[in-house]
């Protein structure tokens, strides 16, 4: 079992987040490892992420013209003011922490499918809650 996979499983077992949240983190981490994977997840938007700050980081990575890696991502995030958005003590630490959650970069499309499914489920729940509120009004 790889160290990345063990770290992910430990975090999941500790109840630190939903599988969709881990897929979001793993997907962005995978892009930091191999920016060439961006072509495989172009149909995803940062607005589909449950964590808005991570969605903004994803959009930033997708918008970078040219290669992407951790060093380029940190520089781009600082240039765009994303250090404030993440709430992290340092954007480099925040982005580097995403590298701990990557079981396998080849699974990036599966991570994307989980993120998309979770986004649809959140939207259905929002619509359900809105209708319930309208009925009570």
């Amino acid at each position: 079992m790889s160290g990345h996979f063990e770290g992910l499983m430990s975090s999941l077992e500790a109840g630190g987040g939903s599988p969709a949240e881990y897929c979001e983190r793993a997907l962005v981490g995978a892009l930091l490892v191999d920016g060439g994977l961006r072509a495989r997840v172009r149909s995803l938007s940062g607005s589909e992420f449950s964590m808005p700050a991570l969605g903004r980081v994803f959009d930033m990575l997708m918008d970078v013209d040219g290669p992407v890696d951790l060093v380029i991502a940190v520089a781009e995030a600082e240039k765009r003011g994303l250090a404030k958005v993440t709430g992290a003590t340092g954007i480099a630490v925040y982005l580097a922490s995403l590298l701990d959650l990557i079981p396998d970069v080849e699974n990036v499309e599966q991570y994307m499918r989980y993120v998309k499914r979770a986004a649809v489920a959140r939207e259905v729940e929002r619509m359900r809650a809105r209708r319930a509120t309208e009925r009570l009004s």
Side-chain angles (χ1 to χ4, degrees):
M1 198 180 284
S2 77
H4 292 301
F5 185 74
E6 288 173 356
L8 175 63
M9 295 315 296
S10 296
S11 296
L12 281 172
E13 290 168 4
S18 73
E21 290 171 343
Y22 283 97
C23 286
E24 291 175 6
R25 292 171 191 237
L27 192 150
V28 173
L31 296 181
L32 292 171
V33 169
D34 183 354
L37 296 171
R38 291 180 296 174
R40 293 170 54 184
V41 296
R42 289 243 180 249
S43 67
L44 186 64
S45 165
S47 65
E48 295 176 280
F49 282 59
S50 65
M51 297 177 282
L54 194 54
R56 292 196 52 195
V57 170
F58 174 82
D59 284 340
M60 176 205 66
L61 294 174
M62 297 303 286
D63 289 343
V64 171
D65 187 30
V68 172
D69 62 16
L70 181 60
V71 174
I72 292 168
V74 168
E76 192 67 26
E78 288 176 349
K79 183 172 92 176
R80 295 181 185 209
L82 287 179
K84 299 172 203 148
V85 173
T86 62
T89 55
I91 191 67
V93 172
Y94 177 78
L95 293 175
S97 74
L98 299 173
L99 299 175
D100 291 334
L101 299 171
I102 309 167
D104 188 347
V105 295
E106 289 304 311
N107 292 334
V108 71
E109 289 163 320
Q110 183 65 30
Y111 303 150
M112 180 184 69
R113 284 190 287 277
Y114 275 107
V115 172
K116 283 186 166 289
R117 278 189 221 127
V120 169
R122 283 191 307 276
E123 184 58 28
V124 167
E125 187 56 37
R126 275 193 287 270
M127 290 170 44
R128 189 177 322 185
R130 191 174 338 136
R131 286 186 182 144
T133 302
E134 289 170 358
R135 286 183 188 144
L136 294 174
S137 300

